[in-house]
Amino acid sequence: MVDVKKAAPTDFPRLLEEWKAAFPEGDNYLEGRPENALRWLFGTWLTKDPKGFLKIVTAPQFEYSHWAAQVMVRTMPEKAAELIFGPTHGELDEYFVFDGAGELAKHSPALYLKMNPGDTIDLQPDSHRSNDDWETAIASLAKTDAVAAGNACLRWKVEKNSSAIERAFLTVASAWKTGDPPMKEWVDGITEPVLRNLANHARLCVLAEKDPRAALAELYSPKFEEGREVNTPREILSQFAKADPVGALKLLKDVEGIFSKYKSGPFDEGSAEEVEKAANPFKDLSPGRYAAGNEVEENGVRYAILGEAAGNLPDDPTELFATLKKWSADTESGDSAWQLGVEADLIRRKGQSMSAADCLTMAGLWAEKLKGGTDDTTFKKLAARVAEVNPELALASLDQLPESARPSFAGEIIKQFPDSDPAGNIALFPHLTAVQWDEEFGKILGANAAAYAEAIASLPASTTLGARESFMEKWGDQDPEAAAQWLESLPDDAVSKPAAAGLFHAWAAYDEEAAVAWVATLPAGPIRDTVAGNLAYSIARRQPDEAWQWVESISDPKVQAKARLDLDFRWEYDAPEKFRAALDEARLAAGWPKRGAKPPPPDPSDDPFR
């Protein structure tokens, strides 16, 4: 330090080299003494020889540019700002400019915002580093002068980054003090509608944290401006539900009104026409997000209220159901479809963080509440949690679960380990429903087809036609020859047709020549008729003659008639002339009118807008 105090301007480059030798670990490990020593050196150098200092520290690739920028901002903020935002900033070291801007934003926010009022200056256009200094400056200024920070926000170019202005307004609203002018008056004075909308959104969100009822009351007074989607209703309702879950549920009940019971789910009531008559009470609050449709679920209102209400529920399942019963009485909802829908949603949310044993208990209590009714969505959510946390427990408890809950639990257990325990999974098959087979399990088990083929073949046909097709499609992706060999072991009847179709689709997708050769080897019968029709449809546009030959080779007249109609649909008005008579005959036999040739193009003279 003595050398630094006595140093002449020409001595500082030498002292910098000596400093580097004294602290060889470099700037990645600067802390304590090394950092203080470097700051002392830079601070003295800047005072005695600012030109020499800047010549060294602003040069590209200068090793300690961050610390030099920090010292300069603290010592000479105006000069630092001139350099950083001046016309020659692109010639300076990247890190000096970028880190200096960050230091200005933190320690001299008013100066930063004066030099860069709307974050319009791109300090490092080619840099890999992000620049959020504008938001930092707003937050720093708001601590001492929220009004000034808010006014700075008004200079922001919304089109450039609307999410940043939203966050900045929220910061300003949080820092607004009682002694300042009322924020509502300030917001109402904003002339730009989009900015006024965003500022009002931030003000109400902050108000909701302190007084959700007051924020909620304001939500219904002046309408939000056109042209901007904001989250205000959802966030205010979320705060309201956190403070008063019963009050929020009452509000939700009133808001959803008649169309709450039409929400898609296990408790549907009413027709689509009745749903269409229902008005969305949030449609005028924020055009865009809240005018999107008739279902409140789409705009997040129900999500916000139930998400926070779930946090107010006890962790113990028995106490949880007692609380739900009390809430039902307090909201005067009884066991209505609306109340059951709310309870189902709350149970699903709560179950995501519960233990496996508590989820099993919840499933039993919920089934008891439904008096044997089904609620696949809720049971599936609980089952997924149990299968993830403790699938062995779910397997051991399956027989103790109510019958309505077993399919969901069995299905989630199978999904948890479809490859590692085929025998255990096959034992669960009787619990699965026909819908589960058709929609989920064929493809899942097809990934390990050899282990499940025999069990799939022995299942009742009435419950597994869709599963057989997806099972074979998955198997055909992996080993079509093995899948074809298994198909030969099945009876040649209607039950095997979906499996044959699944195999053909998979095989033809990546090796059509091999798939066609396989179809040619099949003996006459339902399986061959099915895949011949599929093959004809797939090649109809590329090979119309071959497609027609395959259709003509189908032995079952009903299947052949359908295949002809499929070709007619595939060709539309481009059917080859030689097949049109037969196609028209097939259409007439099916009760359809003749189509014949492609219709002529419209006459331009008929266009009323010419």
Side-chain angles (χ1 to χ4, degrees):
M1 288 188 181
V2 174
D3 288 342
V4 172
K5 286 181 180 179
K6 295 179 178 180
T10 55
D11 292 334
F12 285 103
R14 173 182 58 80
L15 291 172
L16 180 61
E17 291 300 320
E18 291 178 2
W19 182 92
K20 291 163 69 174
F23 301 104
E25 62 269 28
D27 63 333
N28 288 332
Y29 301 96
L30 283 179
E31 57 183 34
R33 261 183 76 246
E35 178 186 333
N36 291 334
L38 186 60
R39 284 178 176 171
W40 176 271
L41 173 61
F42 282 160
T44 308
W45 190 356
L46 181 59
T47 304
K48 289 189 174 187
D49 182 21
K51 289 185 178 180
F53 171 82
L54 290 174
K55 182 178 180 180
I56 297 293
V57 303
T58 60
Q61 308 302 318
F62 178 65
E63 191 173 1
Y64 303 111
S65 58
H66 167 74
W67 305 100
Q70 185 183 89
V71 169
M72 187 169 187
V73 166
R74 306 285 183 90
T75 308
M76 299 179 177
E78 291 80 7
K79 180 63 176 176
E82 288 177 14
L83 280 172
I84 291 166
F85 294 107
T88 61
H89 74 262
E91 301 171 11
L92 306 179
D93 177 76
E94 172 188 347
Y95 292 94
F96 179 88
V97 172
F98 193 90
D99 294 336
E103 288 296 311
L104 279 171
K106 288 179 189 175
H107 301 290
S108 299
L111 179 59
Y112 177 93
L113 293 168
K114 178 184 176 182
M115 300 297 291
N116 192 15
D119 196 24
T120 54
I121 299 174
D122 196 350
L123 296 176
Q124 295 293 340
D126 299 322
S127 174
H128 64 281
R129 308 178 70 186
S130 62
N131 186 0
D132 56 1
D133 295 333
W134 190 86
E135 291 183 67
T136 300
I138 292 291
S140 299
L141 183 59
K143 293 175 183 177
T144 56
D145 192 342
V147 179
N151 290 333
C153 287
L154 301 182
R155 296 191 289 270
W156 171 260
K157 301 297 182 185
V158 182
E159 317 81 54
K160 184 176 180 183
N161 194 340
S162 58
S163 59
I165 187 66
E166 213 165 320
R167 293 191 298 269
F169 271 131
L170 195 58
T171 299
V172 170
S174 300
W176 208 279
K177 296 180 176 59
T178 308
D180 293 330
M183 190 175 182
K184 187 176 187 306
E185 294 179 9
W186 178 80
V187 170
D188 290 342
I190 299 173
T191 57
E192 168 60 43
V194 173
L195 290 171
R196 183 167 63 249
N197 211 29
L198 292 170
N200 210 24
H201 155 68
R203 182 182 70 82
L204 289 178
C205 287
V206 171
L207 178 61
E209 295 179 6
K210 303 170 184 175
D211 189 347
R213 291 179 183 278
L216 195 60
E218 277 206 51
L219 188 62
Y220 290 94
S221 46
K223 295 179 181 179
F224 280 85
E225 305 289 344
E226 294 283 347
R228 174 64 191 163
E229 301 175 9
V230 294
N231 297 326
T232 311
R234 184 168 60 190
E235 295 191 20
I236 290 176
L237 290 167
S238 178
Q239 295 291 346
F240 183 42
K242 186 184 296 184
D244 181 4
V246 172
L249 288 174
K250 284 182 179 179
L251 175 70
L252 182 64
K253 182 184 175 186
D254 293 340
V255 164
E256 293 190 337
I258 185 171
F259 68 90
S260 65
K261 59 187 177 182
Y262 309 134
K263 174 181 171 289
S264 59
F267 309 106
D268 287 346
E269 295 179 25
S271 65
E273 290 74 19
E274 292 172 311
V275 175
E276 197 61 36
K277 293 177 183 177
N280 183 347
F282 284 93
K283 68 183 178 181
D284 293 328
L285 293 178
S286 178
R289 185 188 299 272
Y290 294 93
N294 286 326
E295 292 211 14
V296 176
E297 184 70 22
E298 291 180 3
N299 62 35
V301 172
R302 171 178 278 251
Y303 182 90
I305 289 179
L306 296 186
E308 293 296 345
N312 284 274
L313 288 170
D315 293 329
D316 179 78
T318 304
E319 294 178 12
L320 184 150
F321 271 80
T323 302
L324 289 178
K325 185 176 182 180
K326 183 178 184 305
W327 285 1
S328 174
D330 290 342
T331 56
E332 299 178 350
S333 302
D335 284 339
S336 64
W338 180 84
Q339 178 66 25
L340 289 175
V342 165
E343 291 184 8
D345 200 320
L346 291 171
I347 290 168
R348 292 172 207 158
R349 294 169 186 272
K350 198 68 182 179
Q352 297 309 298
S353 59
M354 281 187 159
S355 68
D358 284 345
C359 283
L360 287 168
T361 302
M362 287 246 287
L365 291 170
W366 185 233
E368 184 180 333
K369 174 73 179 281
L370 296 180
K371 299 180 175 60
T374 58
D375 174 16
D376 290 339
T377 304
T378 304
F379 287 138
K380 188 174 289 186
K381 290 283 187 182
L382 295 173
R385 172 69 179 172
V386 178
E388 177 187 2
V389 176
N390 193 340
E392 292 78 12
L393 177 62
L395 188 60
S397 307
L398 199 62
D399 291 338
Q400 282 73 52
L401 281 169
E403 197 167 326
S404 58
R406 291 178 193 172
S408 293
F409 278 83
E412 294 303 323
I413 294 168
I414 292 173
K415 289 179 189 176
Q416 189 66 23
F417 35 67
D419 299 331
S420 59
D421 188 13
N425 289 337
I426 289 170
L428 296 173
F429 283 5
H431 293 291
L432 301 180
T433 66
V435 172
Q436 285 177 297
W437 277 115
D438 282 344
E439 295 182 357
E440 298 178 87
F441 287 98
K443 185 166 289 188
I444 290 173
L445 301 176
N448 190 13
Y452 291 102
E454 185 177 346
I456 293 289
S458 64
L459 288 171
S462 59
T463 63
T464 60
L465 291 179
R468 288 174 186 236
E469 182 169 359
S470 56
F471 179 81
M472 283 294 278
E473 193 165 348
K474 188 68 176 179
W475 197 356
D477 282 338
Q478 299 171 333
D479 190 348
E481 289 84 1
Q485 187 175 355
W486 177 74
L487 186 64
E488 292 176 8
S489 69
L490 301 179
D492 191 359
D493 55 20
V495 176
S496 302
K497 286 162 63 176
L503 173 56
F504 174 76
H505 289 144
W507 203 343
Y510 62 88
D511 191 348
E512 186 177 77
E513 185 176 341
V516 171
W518 167 67
V519 176
T521 66
L522 295 174
I527 288 180
R528 186 189 183 284
D529 287 349
T530 296
V531 291
N534 286 318
L535 171 56
Y537 187 85
S538 69
I539 65 173
R541 287 195 172 277
R542 291 178 286 112
Q543 301 173 331
D545 290 343
E546 289 81 352
W548 189 260
Q549 290 174 14
W550 279 108
V551 168
E552 293 303 295
S553 73
I554 294 174
S555 58
D556 186 325
K558 290 183 179 180
V559 177
Q560 186 182 64
K562 182 183 179 304
R564 285 177 175 172
L565 292 173
D566 287 342
L567 282 185
D568 180 67
F569 174 80
R570 181 69 166 160
W571 280 326
E572 296 182 304
Y573 294 106
D574 295 325
E577 182 69 34
K578 57 186 171 183
F579 302 138
R580 286 179 184 172
L583 292 174
D584 278 341
E585 184 180 335
R587 291 178 65 85
L588 290 172
W592 299 356
K594 286 185 178 182
R595 181 153 58 187
K598 187 174 183 177
D603 186 345
S605 63
D606 293 336
D607 186 354
F609 300 103
R610 286 185 75 240

